[in-house]
Amino acid sequence: MKPLNLNFSALTFLYRIYQLFIAAPIILVATVVTAIVVVIGCTLGNGHFWGYWPGKIWSRVIVYTLLLPVRVEGREKLSKQQSYVFVANHQGAFDIFLVYGFLGRNFKWMMKHELRSLPLVGLACQSAHHIFVDKRSPSRLRATYEQARKTLRDGMSLVVFPEGSRTMDGRMTAFQRGAFLLADEMQLPVVPLTINGSFNVKQRTKDIYWVFWHPMTLTIHDPIAPTGQGEENVRLTMQCSKNQIESTLCDEYRTNRQ
């Protein structure tokens, strides 16, 4: 009797059946429970604790439920007593679960204000004091950055996707300056994060209903300490961050492939 040979199409079909009947119900329940716990916990208790730990566990539940392998490199480069501005490339929706679940640092997100309207999740993010970047008017944008300054003054770290939105083809796009201006003003180190594999798991332009199995890697680079203050420091930090992130991207997603 010949051994069973499952080709890629058969494995994909089985993975989708698993997603539909096992993973999706688990993820739905975990999302609802996490959102409720965050809202109640942040209302009654320590917002830094309840705004981070339930979300970290939720992210890991999602990644492990979907059987996605994760590797993290470079955690030893971070100091427990130091606040950082983390900047990462934005490959896809699973960047959130990879960073939230596996970075290993308490932080606040800087995210699009449109995410506030997500059922339950938006309310949980608001309760946890994550920062919604609102560019609809100069006054709202100023309020956004004042909230970010307060977060950093309180000793928390920030995670920012300086591209602003997910990539269309896996390669990085131009960085926006906001995160680097904040780091310069507060004289805090910037830590570049390279995300690999998230684009393959959930592309912006691919089937919106299904997750595609693929390993993910989070690479934590050396912190970039400020070398001064002002325009030159902002420019150098932004360029160095982009170079470091791209240095460990998979070859197919590098801007200048060799």
Side-chain angles (χ1 to χ4, degrees):
M1 182 176 179
K2 293 183 178 180
L4 182 63
N5 182 22
L6 293 177
N7 59 27
F8 179 78
S9 296
L11 290 173
T12 301
F13 175 75
L14 289 173
Y15 189 47
R16 290 186 175 184
I17 293 297
Y18 170 80
Q19 287 182 52
L20 184 62
F21 292 104
I22 299 177
I26 293 173
I27 291 171
L28 178 60
V29 171
T31 300
V32 172
V33 170
T34 301
I36 293 172
V37 168
V38 169
V39 171
I40 294 175
C42 290
T43 302
L44 300 178
N46 185 334
H48 288 337
F49 177 89
W50 293 105
Y52 171 67
W53 284 100
K56 175 178 179 174
I57 295 169
W58 168 71
S59 296
R60 289 194 170 210
V61 166
I62 289 175
V63 169
Y64 291 146
T65 299
L66 289 166
L67 312 177
L68 301 172
V70 169
R71 187 173 79 252
V72 181
E73 301 171 348
R75 279 204 198 105
E76 71 282 355
K77 298 175 181 178
L78 304 178
S79 169
K80 293 181 179 180
Q81 289 74 38
Q82 177 66 56
S83 296
Y84 297 105
V85 177
F86 294 97
V87 294
N89 59 313
H90 203 358
Q91 282 202 338
F94 273 72
D95 298 344
I96 295 168
F97 309 125
L98 181 61
V99 175
Y100 215 163
F102 298 92
L103 178 60
R105 289 299 299 262
N106 198 334
F107 65 86
K108 302 296 183 186
W109 290 102
M110 289 191 74
M111 59 181 71
K112 291 182 176 181
H113 76 90
E114 291 89 350
L115 297 176
R116 194 194 300 264
S117 62
L118 289 175
L120 277 179
V121 173
L123 178 60
C125 290
Q126 183 173 329
S127 299
H129 300 293
H130 294 301
I131 301 165
F132 295 97
V133 181
D134 194 338
K135 299 180 180 179
R136 290 176 293 180
S137 71
S139 61
R140 288 177 175 177
L141 188 58
R142 284 194 298 271
T144 294
Y145 281 99
E146 183 51 43
Q147 184 184 355
R149 292 184 190 97
K150 184 178 184 302
T151 297
L152 293 170
R153 284 195 295 266
D154 288 345
M156 292 293 292
S157 296
L158 290 178
V159 174
V160 186
F161 296 117
E163 294 166 275
S165 59
R166 290 168 291 164
T167 178
M168 301 294 288
D169 60 4
R171 296 184 181 87
M172 285 195 301
T173 57
F175 279 10
Q176 300 173 16
R177 290 159 45 91
F180 304 97
L181 289 168
L182 274 172
D184 176 70
E185 179 183 334
M186 306 295 293
Q187 286 292 280
L188 291 173
V190 172
V191 179
L193 305 174
T194 301
I195 293 171
N196 276 303
S198 173
F199 181 74
N200 305 82
V201 172
K202 195 70 176 167
Q203 295 183 22
R204 186 176 181 178
T205 57
K206 204 168 183 178
D207 194 327
I208 64 171
Y209 299 105
W210 303 106
V211 169
F212 297 83
W213 188 93
H214 196 280
M216 295 190 293
T217 302
L218 177 66
T219 304
I220 303 167
H221 295 278
D222 291 316
I224 305 170
T227 56
Q229 191 165 23
E231 181 61 33
E232 183 66 11
N233 181 57
V234 171
R235 186 186 66 79
L236 288 174
T237 305
M238 185 163 61
Q239 187 59 53
C240 185
S241 297
K242 191 167 186 178
N243 290 345
Q244 286 198 34
I245 292 171
E246 191 159 42
S247 70
T248 51
L249 272 177
C250 294
D251 289 343
E252 60 186 309
Y253 301 133
R254 292 186 184 182
T255 304
N256 298 311
R257 290 179 291 176
Q258 299 183 359

